[in-house]
Amino acid sequence: MKVVALVSGGKDSCYAMMKCVQYGHQIVALANLMPFDDSVDELDSYMYQTVGHQIIVSYAECMGLPLFRRRIQGSTRHQKLNYRATVGDEVEDMFVLLSEVKRQIPSIEAVSSGAIASDYQRLRVESVCSRLGLVSLAYLWKQNQSLLLQDMITNGIVAITVKVAAMGLEPAKHLGKELSLLKPYLHKLNELYGINVCGEGGEYETLTLDCPLFVNARIVLDEFQIVLHSSDSIAPVGIIHPLAFHLEKKECKSDRETDDISGKKLGFVFEVQGDCLERNLGPSQSIVENTDAVASSRVHLSKTTKSSTFSIGCWLQDTHKTTGALGEDLKVVLKEIQSQLTGYGFGWENVVYIHLYIADMDEFSMANETYVKFVTQGKCPFGVPSRSTIELPLSQAGLGKAYVEVLVTNDQSKNVLHVQSISCWAPSCIGPYSQATLHKEILHMAGQLGLDPPTMTLCNGGPIAELEQALENSEAVAKNFGCSVSLSAIFFTIYCSTSIPLSERISIQEKQELFLKQRRLREVDGNKCQVLDPIVLYVLVPSLPKRAFVEVKPILFVPKDAETTDATVESSNSIVTKSWDFEHMVWHDSCIQKSVVCGKICAVLISVRNEHIPKICSEPQSALVNDKNHQDSFVVKNMATVSRFCVFLLDKVVTDNNFSWEDTTILRVYLPTSLNMNVETVSHMFKHAFDELPKVDERLQTATEPVFNIVPVIGTGKSAVSMDDVISCELFAQKS
């Protein structure tokens, strides 16, 4: 991509440019924000480093690139973490600056910045980029600061300190010193006082005098004055005020006079004028209301009844008539969910997670265009929901082209991680969906592909390599919440594309198990921590985003107080439901996977296989013949009994662990399309089975109406090798 680099003069912004070049991007312009008054060295700003701004003008000649500068007119007006466009805020100066760069150089696609750990700065750069249709590149984000500092020095960043403001750093002694000479001392201060070795806590600021991208000249600071801002005896604050400097030409300077991309003269410096007036906040977010193309009678809903956290599912029944495009079906579904949310007095800001199921991954772009008209950052001030997108065989199951599930909460206590910048940390989420959402100790993570974070392309090596990378990406996201996928996972859903060769499925399962085992050994060693035993469900689907082989969707438990976490539970006497015809037998345990945190969470997976059917239906084993068609026919014939058996097992696990159906937030039934059963038919069978549950929970004395979603798939199973369960039921319950 063609990139404009935000430069402050500091080591971070310069090294970020070097990383952009390393990953194949082209820096075509520089952008800098400086004080309104030339005589001012430093502004009281959370956003911008301005010490040494007098020298930044030389960067244009040093790099042979056009430099756009703007005097900062705004101040810090919007102080909340998640920035919203605010007239007169200093962030709007960046918006004006980059708007002018884009106007003069229309080919620019991305913005580079040197953010390492500051969410405040990263989110504001991302906000401006989003409004301008640009991609944010932040290749230093979340990198180990000790290693990063060494990499900068090793790779030719020559920078001096221009500000010090930390215990152990003295203005008279440490200002103007090269970073390479100060590195050992910075590490010593880190050990003594915990300072950030890269200065991310404001401990110091730097000015880059030379780096490999300075192809024409290096900067020599001839004379400077030390200005003491604070004479505090513990942590004095001082800055450098440059008095004289010159450029030292390099032999290998560029022969070009103009840049081939921008058309601007090399070394061109342009000062961007204009006031920070109210600006366009981005593309229109209006929703086209005309949905007459799809009859309202096709809309079907499911809703759990839990008051604090609940699910809404919406899909369209295919009437076998000519229907519109996927976008039209999705518009109807999202509009209906939006209407349901409004009926509860909620909005999209109350949604924690979204499952977006579509009939054709080739139409993903169209689906996303429709999605972003409903789910926007403007509508979600507390953070946009996390999301997974999967292609399902909807048409084969008698459904429309779009199917959406949303998990909703009635409060605003969620903690959302939404990093839109491309970095080396984890895949970015460019658009209105986030990497993960933490709500009431449950971390709902977006579906993770095997993407190489800095390039955002699928890693090479096939399904096994993609799975490992997807798990690594999941681990990176989990660490932001102080937890680990290997220790804290309750449930793994691993979506597998039908394009995976059958011979490689066993390797996928082995890799997943090995990854967790190795990570557990590494992280548990020397620590007394609770390890959960996660449920793993493999789901075979037609296709995934970017034509990936696998997509991993973890759910994690993140306790507020780790010491009180008890992931073990003793079975109590279950509440006997006399209406069931089944009696518990030892073999039933082979159908059950569960992960229970006592008094908090109950996750259950019921897997029914072909060999279980004769036992469930009290038929002789000979009834299940080897021929696949006869097997499926036998299953279909007995599906009503199978559905009752599934509900019986779910009810037993839930009640045995002292949960009620009122605690259920998620309940899915995965239906293989090989059975050729209509979703509505199976749905009626399960509804009939649930009718046999007690109408009143004996402990809570409240109505019990379990609601579920039937999800059509190619296949499912607890084994990646044979994803051929007759039916799989996934339940998640949580105490309020």
Side-chain angles (χ1 to χ4, degrees), residues 75-134:
S75 59
T76 305
R77 295 195 176 185
H78 190 288
Q79 298 183 4
K80 293 182 179 179
L81 184 61
N82 289 300
Y83 180 75
R84 301 190 73 173
T86 302
V87 177
D89 192 277
E90 61 184 351
V91 175
E92 297 309 299
D93 287 296
M94 184 196 304
F95 179 83
V96 174
L97 174 64
L98 294 178
S99 295
E100 181 61 22
V101 177
K102 187 177 179 182
R103 187 188 71 80
Q104 292 203 34
I105 311 177
S107 61
I108 282 178
E109 304 162 84
V111 176
S112 167
S113 68
I116 298 176
S118 171
D119 282 307
Y120 184 92
Q121 293 174 348
R122 174 186 59 80
L123 287 167
R124 279 153 174 73
V125 173
E126 289 176 352
S127 173
V128 170
C129 287
S130 177
R131 291 159 62 189
L132 291 173
L134 299 171

Side-chain angles (χ1 to χ4, degrees), residues 102 165 176 194 205 248 251 389 409 680:
K102 187 177 179 182
E205 291 179 0
E248 188 176 278
E251 294 181 1
T389 305
T409 176
E680 287 301 301

Side-chain angles (χ1 to χ4, degrees), residues 7-57:
V7 291
S8 64
K11 65 186 189 319
D12 302 337
S13 59
C14 286
Y15 194 57
M17 286 193 289
M18 292 175 62
K19 298 299 287 185
C20 285
V21 173
Q22 177 185 331
Y23 288 112
H25 304 297
Q26 183 179 0
I27 309 295
V28 299
L30 308 175
N32 169 251
L33 289 136
M34 58 183 178
F36 192 83
D37 185 346
D38 283 335
S39 65
V40 174
D41 286 295
E42 184 179 37
L43 295 177
D44 181 17
S45 169
Y46 292 113
M47 273 299 296
Y48 309 120
Q49 172 188 323
T50 58
V51 179
H53 67 85
Q54 300 89 342
I55 295 178
I56 304 304
V57 67

Side-chain angles (χ1 to χ4, degrees), residues 38 84 197 211 214 362 375 422 452 539 569 578 659 682:
D38 283 335
R84 301 190 73 173
V197 295
C211 78
F214 287 13
D362 286 339
V375 187
I422 294 177
D452 175 46
V539 181
V569 62
K578 296 181 180 179
F659 284 78
V682 177

Side-chain angles (χ1 to χ4, degrees), residues 513-554:
E513 293 171 352
L514 181 62
F515 181 91
L516 291 186
K517 181 179 179 180
Q518 290 176 336
R519 286 301 180 109
R520 285 180 176 181
L521 289 173
R522 184 188 313 169
E523 298 190 34
V524 173
D525 186 30
N527 297 310
K528 292 182 179 179
C529 55
Q530 186 68 59
V531 180
L532 297 175
D533 187 17
I535 295 169
V536 180
L537 175 66
Y538 295 92
V539 181
L540 191 62
V541 297
S543 187
L544 295 167
K546 296 183 179 289
R547 300 302 175 188
F549 286 114
V550 294
E551 180 173 327
V552 177
K553 188 192 69 174

